[in-house]
Amino acid sequence: MNQYYYPKLQVVVLAAGQGKRMCSSTPKVLHEVLGKSMLSHVLGNIEALSPQGIALVTGHGGEQVYTAVEKTHHVSLVKQLEQLGTGHAVQQAEAVCKNAENVLIVCGDTPLLQVQTLFQLLTEHVHSQADISFLSAVIDEPAGYGRVYRNKQGTVERIVEERDASADEKQIQEVSSGIFCVNRERLFHYLRKIDNNNEQREYYLPDIVPLALAEGGRVEAVVMSEASDMLGVNDRSQLRHVSEILQRRVIDAWEKEGVSIEHPSTVRIDVSVKIGVDTTIRSGCQLLGNTQIGDGCELGPYAVIQDSWLDDKVNIFAFSHLDGAQVGAHAAIGPYARLRPQTELDEGVKIGNFVEVKKSVLGKNSKVNHLSYIGDTMMGEDCNIGAGTITCNYDGANKHKTVIGDHVFIGSDTKLIAPVTVESGATVGAGSVITKKVQENGLTLSVRPEQRYVRDWKRPEKI
Ligand code: UD1
Ligand code: CA
């Protein structure tokens, strides 16, 4: 049994709110934090607890929310047709919870929540045998959160929502995270008794606290050891704030794994990115999506690398953009290079400035060093492609392939009109327009325009 295993635990994730304060056509919980939706962050951490089930309560944009997560997370969908409050939302999940002993309730808009923090709540809940346990935190800026109201003895009496709080209550700095663990039978018993007698006319989940106490139930506020875990996102400024905190965590973790990061405040590294030891990431880099970087690479400054795979000791020079590319060991890319999807570069390949490569395979040690476009191309090993070479792959309707063998030398400013093949060992003279197969080894060049000399010609002068 792993330490995060709790028998008969059902999780309910609340994600039905419209998220009005985001001012967005995208449901709030689908907004991304470092390449992953807030909801997916929350679900990923819950899954580490191995609960018996996860119910996702949706309302606004419910289908969109469910389709966004169903492929990567196993959740059962619960609908809340009208958003009548967090208590009402939990009530909709009663049927799915029926075999559980405890129900863990988490909001879909708290992406910083870590599994250790949930572990802290569950452990204390089991240990104290409370009917209701919830995570609270003492924070400097409690505005917007429900305040934890304690009596003179320090015992929790109730949670007061910001909009219902008196001026005195607003001074309280201990806030509720909105994350509860409640005995299943008690939970639905209390929920049947809550009302919407408050400023928002909503059925508040936190109102189960005074109801439990009135019936002699036991309520525990578990003060979080890491307060930032509970930060909720209601608007875009909070979204940015939690992204910054999570970015800090990600960068700290990579530094501990042997990665050097210059000016970390300018760098973005998505949560799903993997980086090898002794890699250096310079200012302004963005490592996005499912990118994997090998050992001893040098990236940037200002490189954008999305969904790409880099082997060891790759150099990506300044201002290069990689998307869906695979790059072999010791390759050097840029500055100012662009690698587009389905580009596969073997070991030691060199791609220089202002070169674009798309859907092409380049063999070991081949070089395309300046101002070229290589698309839909299969290229062998040790080729040297001169400046300004273009594979003309598109006839306006269809894409065509260029095949280049090993040890080929293409002179500068050559146009390879696809479909076309250049056999191994061939040399193509500069400025050629190649429309037919280039045979192996010899020199091929297209007829060049005549060159004239006009001795007495005068440059025009400005009038
Ligand atoms: C809520 C808590 C507050 C706590 C804060 C922590 C209540 C009444 N308030 O406030 O005590 O300090 O979270 O972040 O519980 N939702 C539904 N259905 C609804 C209403 C909301 O599913 O009818 C979902 C939302 O999508 C969201 C979560 O519940 O994921 C919380 O709702 P939100 O409106 O963000 O509550 P807060 O005002 O942040
Ligand atoms: Ca919230």
Side-chain angles (χ1 to χ4, degrees), residues 153-166:
Q153 289 74 47
T155 316
V156 174
E157 282 198 347
R158 58 198 162 88
I159 296 169
V160 193
E161 290 308 302
E162 167 92 15
R163 288 167 70 172
D164 303 297
S166 65

Side-chain angles (χ1 to χ4, degrees), residues 5 35 45 286:
Y5 180 72
N45 287 320
Q286 301 212 343

Side-chain angles (χ1 to χ4, degrees), residues 21 28 109 232-234:
R21 291 166 277 180
K28 175 168 80 173
D109 64 354
V233 171
N234 299 316

Side-chain angles (χ1 to χ4, degrees), residues 390-406:
I390 307 285
T391 55
C392 307
N393 61 332
Y394 187 50
D395 59 14
N398 297 298
K399 298 275 169 63
H400 302 285
K401 290 202 160 63
T402 300
V403 178
I404 299 173
D406 299 329

Side-chain angles (χ1 to χ4, degrees), residues 13-19 21 28-29 57-59 80 82-90 106-110 144-147 159-162 175-180 200 202-206 230-234:
V13 179
L14 303 185
Q18 199 175 354
R21 291 166 277 180
K28 175 168 80 173
V29 293
V57 183
T58 65
Q80 185 194 22
E82 266 185 295
Q83 280 62 64
L84 301 179
T86 49
H88 177 261
V90 176
V106 176
C107 298
D109 64 354
T110 52
Y145 291 98
R147 310 296 206 283
I159 296 169
V160 193
E161 290 308 302
E162 167 92 15
V175 300
S176 163
S177 64
I179 301 155
F180 286 75
Q200 300 191 76
E202 284 187 0
Y203 295 89
Y204 290 164
L205 173 65
M230 55 145 293
L231 293 176
V233 171
N234 299 316

